Amino acid sequence: MVNIQALRGMQDLLPEQKEIFRFIEAKARQVFECYGYQEMGMPVLEATHLFKRAVGDGTDLIEKEMYTFDDRNGDSITLRPEGTAGCIRVAEQHGLLFNQIQRLWYHGPMFRYERPQKGRYRQFEQIGVECFGMPGADIDAEILLLCARLWRELGIDKDITLELNSLGSAEARVKYRTVLVEYLTSVKDQLDEDSQRRITSNPLRVFDSKVPQTQQLLRHAPLLKDYLDDESKQHFQQLCEQLDKCDIAYQLNPYIVRGLDYYNRTVFEWVTSSLGAQGTVCAGGRYDGLVAQIGGKGTPGVGFALGLDRIALMLQAKFEHANAADIYVVSNGEGARQQALWVAENVRNALPQRKIVVHCGAGKFKAQLKRADASEAKLALILGETEVTNGTIGVKFLRDDREQISVNVADLNDILNRFFS
RNA sequence: GUGGGCGUAGCUCAGUCGGUAGAGCUCCGGAUUGUGAUUCCGGCGGUCGUGGGUUCAAACCCCAUCGUCCACCCCA
């Protein structure tokens, strides 16, 4: 046992859980398609420097969370820790961004070497959406509308709230950053240890500190919104108006700072209180400078990623009987056993949407019916020696108060069709 | 990377002061020779996470290690 465990932080998805993931993916696909977004795929492995260049060298993600190792030829490669960089690489490499507009989405595993926790795994499933070539606030609003619709489809809209902020232009942010660093440095010895460290690593993050004394000091800190450039202010205002118009509730949170360096202007998080400390279920924002930073021609972009694992945790309680069968076929005796598979095939031809399970292998008749009951099937089809010789099949209603009936093989599909319609 | 909780049957867990391991559920068989509730009876099932130490004796105490959970950090 000891040697065959999953690697630390890697989740095994049992059928019950996988069902939830499939549900989320299906809903996402349906919603994204109805907004005209196109699915794409990309490799799990990329050159290490792609992520370094895109995400920012000083970030925790780059410094200590990447699965990086040497390829056999000595090149440094990395299991993708996020999707945006790779998506841009694909789009650039195949010319999707040259004077074009794109609405793209993808899904798949991401990898970060972190300490596992509820809702946080080393391999985690993410759905990403990226839009290119649209500088206006309308596309920012669109992806938020798209998110909101997805939450409604998933039935979790009541449990999630939207938090919004604007980081301004890159220039405004740099200007603000220096002012903030100045202020923080002036009170440095009164700050907690983490916050002191963050002055150099990511000063905006200091606002996230939970230490009361630090929070006290932050009250007098300069605020980002006072440093926003006019265009960014206008952009943000348009976004808010658009959301108001479409009845999307949101909360302004001046302290949202995405962990990755590439964001500008709009940033947002969809959060829930139902998952403990890992409450962010979906997050994203605008990254107008990123494409150029990776090496392409400057193209505006907005996007977000949602954490499938976390949403799956939220949905868990609602998935009790997702794998129920419709029909369970039991048989008694050698001849009947052979007949059973054949009968089931014919039924599947006639009712391809139905889940039909045939009892295979050994098993007493009584035990087979117990299995039928446990499968949550509505009907049991019964094949015994009597049925085989008479050319009939027993149809037993497992969930209704009805007598078992005996039908001719030739009439079976009609009867089943009527029952399930 | 830091701090804390927890690892006992397939699952959920009990196990007193250290005295050599138990229940419920599941599964299998029977009561009922071909009919799924319930009930009753019987059965399968254990390296007590792993390795070391203390002891006449360790699931229990000590050390290490792995895993897991929670929080920090960080983030989806």
Side-chain angles (χ1 to χ4, degrees), chain A residues 243-292:
Chain A
L243 293 176
D244 291 337
K245 165 105 180 150
C246 296
D247 276 331
I248 300 297
Y250 56 89
Q251 189 133 43
L252 295 180
N253 179 350
Y255 304 137
I256 295 183
V257 185
R258 310 273 57 256
L260 316 180
D261 282 349
Y262 52 62
Y263 289 101
N264 70 306
R265 290 197 176 162
T266 312
V267 287
F268 61 85
E269 283 182 17
W270 293 89
V271 296
T272 179
S273 55
S274 68
L275 294 180
Q278 313 301 325
T280 303
V281 143
C282 172
R286 181 162 278 280
Y287 46 83
D288 292 332
L290 182 57
V291 175

Side-chain angles (χ1 to χ4, degrees), chain A residues 137 232-242 244 250:
Chain A
S232 290
K233 271 185 195 161
Q234 201 189 350
H235 183 100
F236 193 55
Q237 194 190 335
Q238 283 169 359
L239 171 60
C240 293
E241 283 168 7
Q242 190 62 251
D244 291 337
Y250 56 89

Side-chain angles (χ1 to χ4, degrees), chain A residues 41-253:
Chain A
M42 60 216 187
V44 162
L45 277 167
E46 296 276 2
T48 301
H49 63 77
L50 171 67
F51 299 115
K52 285 195 172 168
R53 201 188 296 185
V55 175
D57 251 331
T59 57
D60 273 29
L61 214 190
I62 297 299
E63 278 179 0
K64 48 188 203 193
E65 294 176 3
M66 291 207 301
Y67 274 94
T68 296
F69 44 92
D70 286 348
D71 204 349
R72 286 175 187 265
N73 66 2
D75 293 342
S76 179
I77 56 179
T78 296
L79 283 164
R80 61 182 183 195
E82 59 103 44
T84 304
C87 179
I88 291 176
R89 199 227 81 220
V90 171
E92 260 311 315
Q93 184 173 334
H94 300 278
L96 301 188
L97 301 184
F98 196 80
N99 292 337
Q100 290 189 66
I101 280 172
Q102 297 290 351
R103 289 177 168 92
L104 303 170
W105 74 280
Y106 50 82
H107 75 112
M110 306 291 164
F111 303 84
R112 290 184 199 174
Y113 191 88
E114 300 180 272
R115 191 103 166 224
Q117 199 176 316
K118 183 177 191 177
R120 187 172 82 181
Y121 311 99
R122 289 182 171 180
Q123 174 178 335
F124 56 102
E125 210 67 23
Q126 218 169 252
I127 293 180
V129 166
E130 319 286 352
C131 302
F132 298 103
M134 293 165 277
D138 44 4
I139 187 67
D140 301 20
E142 180 179 284
I143 59 174
L144 289 169
L145 289 167
L146 178 151
C147 286
R149 185 177 295 273
L150 180 56
W151 310 146
R152 269 180 269 133
E153 285 291 323
L154 292 171
I156 55 174
D157 50 312
K158 300 282 184 291
D159 308 316
I160 299 187
T161 56
L162 171 60
E163 301 193 351
L164 255 192
N165 189 25
S166 175
L167 298 177
S169 66
E171 301 77 48
R173 201 171 160 192
V174 168
K175 199 166 76 187
Y176 170 69
R177 190 180 161 123
T178 43
V179 179
L180 179 64
V181 169
E182 251 170 51
Y183 173 78
L184 292 174
T185 310
S186 75
V187 295
K188 183 174 180 178
D189 41 350
Q190 300 170 65
L191 294 173
D192 61 279
E193 203 180 315
D194 275 330
S195 297
Q196 292 189 13
R197 180 177 49 79
R198 286 192 277 213
I199 292 177
T200 44
S201 64
N202 194 347
L204 291 170
R205 274 266 163 221
V206 176
F207 284 107
D208 287 343
S209 172
K210 281 154 193 160
V211 180
Q213 198 189 337
T214 301
Q215 279 301 330
Q216 193 79 356
L217 288 163
L218 288 171
R219 286 201 202 157
H220 307 291
L223 289 175
L224 175 57
K225 70 177 164 78
D226 298 325
Y227 288 80
L228 290 190
D229 52 295
D230 289 342
E231 281 181 21
S232 290
K233 271 185 195 161
Q234 201 189 350
H235 183 100
F236 193 55
Q237 194 190 335
Q238 283 169 359
L239 171 60
C240 293
E241 283 168 7
Q242 190 62 251
L243 293 176
D244 291 337
K245 165 105 180 150
C246 296
D247 276 331
I248 300 297
Y250 56 89
Q251 189 133 43
L252 295 180
N253 179 350

